[in-house]
Amino acid sequence: MSDKIEFIDLKAQYRALKPSIDARIAQVLEHGRYIMGPEIGELEERLAAYVGVRHCIGVASGTEALLIALMALGIGPGDEVITTPFTFAATAEVIVLVGATPVFVDIDLADCNIDANLIEAAITPRTKAIMPVSLYGQCADMDAINAIAARHGDIPVIEDAAQSFGATYKGRRSCGVSTIGCTSFFPSKPLGCYGDGGAIFTDDDGLAQAMREIRVHGQSKRYQHDRVGVGGRLDTIQAAILLAKLDTFDEEVAARIAIGDRYLELLREVPGVTPIRVVPDRTSVWGQFTVLSHNRDAAVALLGEQGVPTAVHYPIPLDRQPAYKDACRVSGKLEHSLKASQQVMSLPMHPYLTEDAQRDIIDVLGKAGISARAA
Ligand SMILES: *Cc1c(COP(=O)(O)O)cnc(C)c1O
């Protein structure tokens, strides 16, 4: 293989955007308003316009975004929040942190998002929110989920959009398709900064105000603490970096979609490997490019030997994790989630991945012999 293949190439992106990123950072260093500086408001305005909602609140991370959303909704002990066990731990973690119970509903194996058909059976009088995850960069079935929530007394829906910023659902943007949308700017996410960061989106003025206050220790004004909050501010330097990166984000999203399409095309020649399905009317930003294979562990090992890095998102469903198995309630069988944890692997994915590299990766995958036991 020619060049070393990176799983995610953050340095290539920095090299491409270096002048504007450096200039933006220098401005912050010069003006000296390091906490809640002017870049925060500027970024929030641009992101709200991008998503198409009234309010964006910049926060310290994707995890903090989810936590603040739950706190603003007043969710706590005795309450239940319906979500998926096949996600990064942060989704369930914040539910447990506010004292509520995560209720796990199985996924659809085709796209690995929560199966909307199974949600209604999990609703009880204690259900205070539904938290679908837009996994791998593709929205869950938000209209179906919103309709169920509306039928049951307008249960708030929080989209965990940490992996899907920039994706569309029936023409609308991820983060703007439910009561609250939460995203992450962790460096490897579709819109990443150079440290930790996140944002919350909503059209609800009251919730937006509550979340702004919770972000700064529950202050309605300086040293007036009307509610319990957190130290959840977005860093000004990270906001500056994101402002520079937003200038080319549309191009990066287009590149991600083109690279995803090319993977799908190349994978048609590889039996035994099933890519995540992109549902009609949705676009995926391929936060991860993930495939399912019955011979996952062998394929991961072989690809690794040939210099192709892979990752498993995620090897253990949350209902089986020590931290959550006693803290959760399980609704129905979670067999698809378990199957996914045994079969998924993510291939290198970033907007600067070349066609040659993709061909090399699929070549190695084709030779890995996983077709012997077709999926
Ligand atoms: C990354 C991620 C988070 C957490 O975001 P951080 O910014 O790392 O706190 C939450 N949920 C999902 C699905 C994620 O992928």
Side-chain angles (χ1 to χ4, degrees):
M1 227 170 298
S2 38
D3 292 329
K4 184 176 179 298
I5 294 174
E6 308 269 359
F7 189 70
I8 292 171
D9 195 346
L10 297 171
K11 283 171 292 183
Q13 186 196 47
Y14 175 59
R15 281 192 295 270
L17 302 176
K18 182 172 167 36
S20 61
I21 289 174
D22 287 2
R24 276 286 190 172
I25 293 174
Q27 270 174 28
V28 177
L29 297 179
E30 287 296 332
H31 70 52
R33 287 146 74 189
Y34 303 135
I35 298 293
M36 295 300 284
E39 284 79 4
I40 301 287
E42 187 185 347
L43 177 71
E44 289 175 342
E45 254 175 54
R46 278 186 63 187
L47 292 178
Y50 178 84
V51 168
V53 296
R54 292 154 65 92
H55 305 283
C56 168
I57 298 120
V59 294
S61 69
T63 306
E64 211 71 10
L66 295 166
L67 179 64
I68 292 171
L70 291 173
M71 289 173 77
L73 290 167
I75 291 168
D79 296 338
E80 294 182 343
V81 178
I82 294 173
T83 189
T84 154
F86 194 61
T87 174
F88 181 58
T91 316
E93 183 177 52
V94 291
I95 299 169
V96 175
L97 275 176
V98 297
T101 303
V103 176
F104 291 129
V105 166
D106 207 6
I107 57 168
D108 182 332
L109 203 52
D111 64 2
C112 288
N113 277 326
I114 193 167
D115 187 339
N117 297 315
L118 304 176
I119 289 177
E120 211 141 22
I123 293 177
T124 73
R126 291 165 178 257
T127 307
K128 291 294 151 55
I130 304 173
M131 200 192 276
V133 177
S134 295
L135 201 72
Y136 302 146
Q138 177 180 209
C139 282
D141 194 355
M142 299 306 292
D143 276 357
I145 295 166
N146 289 332
I148 293 163
R151 273 206 298 280
H152 291 266
D154 276 326
I155 301 169
V157 177
I158 304 169
E159 183 196 9
D160 180 344
Q163 302 180 6
S164 60
F165 192 78
T168 57
Y169 177 90
K170 300 184 183 173
R172 288 171 285 152
R173 285 228 160 90
S174 177
C175 287
V177 284
S178 61
T179 320
I180 298 175
C182 296
T183 198
S184 163
F185 303 127
F186 187 83
S188 60
K189 309 282 168 148
L191 179 61
C193 58
Y194 293 159
D196 279 304
I200 313 171
F201 297 84
T202 188
D203 267 326
D204 185 306
D205 298 345
L207 281 175
Q209 182 60 27
M211 294 191 289
R212 282 188 197 286
E213 292 178 12
I214 292 168
R215 167 176 69 174
V216 287
H217 305 286
Q219 293 172 101
S220 54
K221 57 184 190 214
R222 199 166 198 196
Y223 299 129
Q224 174 73 34
H225 302 269
D226 291 337
R227 56 171 90 239
V228 175
V230 294
R233 296 170 301 241
L234 175 64
D235 194 272
T236 306
I237 288 186
Q238 299 304 338
I241 291 163
L242 288 165
L243 280 164
K245 290 185 54 166
L246 262 184
D247 289 338
T248 55
F249 186 60
D250 283 341
E251 287 151 48
E252 287 201 346
V253 167
R256 282 178 171 279
I257 290 172
I259 289 164
D261 285 346
R262 191 182 296 132
Y263 261 141
L264 293 175
E265 177 80 38
L266 292 168
L267 278 166
R268 282 202 209 125
E269 313 295 316
V270 185
V273 177
T274 312
I276 292 295
R277 173 170 182 258
V278 181
V279 180
D281 274 344
R282 298 180 211 175
T283 57
S284 177
V285 284
W286 300 111
Q288 281 86 22
F289 188 92
T290 304
V291 300
L292 294 112
S293 160
H294 284 287
N295 265 349
R296 193 264 317 274
D297 292 339
V300 164
L302 256 149
L303 286 162
E305 279 165 27
Q306 300 293 313
V308 178
T310 56
V312 172
H313 304 106
Y314 297 88
I316 305 171
L318 296 184
D319 57 296
R320 292 171 179 251
Q321 289 281 8
Y324 300 106
K325 67 178 188 325
D326 298 325
C328 72
R329 183 165 77 74
V330 166
S331 178
K333 289 204 186 90
L334 304 178
E335 48 196 353
H336 290 148
S337 166
L338 180 61
K339 233 183 214 171
S341 72
Q342 294 160 345
Q343 296 187 2
V344 293
M345 66 176 166
S346 303
L347 302 177
M349 180 71 214
H350 57 82
Y352 302 87
L353 191 64
T354 62
E355 180 169 349
D356 282 353
Q358 281 191 281
R359 288 188 184 281
D360 288 347
I361 291 162
I362 299 304
D363 239 32
V364 175
L365 190 60
K367 287 178 188 141
I370 47 185
S371 54
R373 285 162 55 193

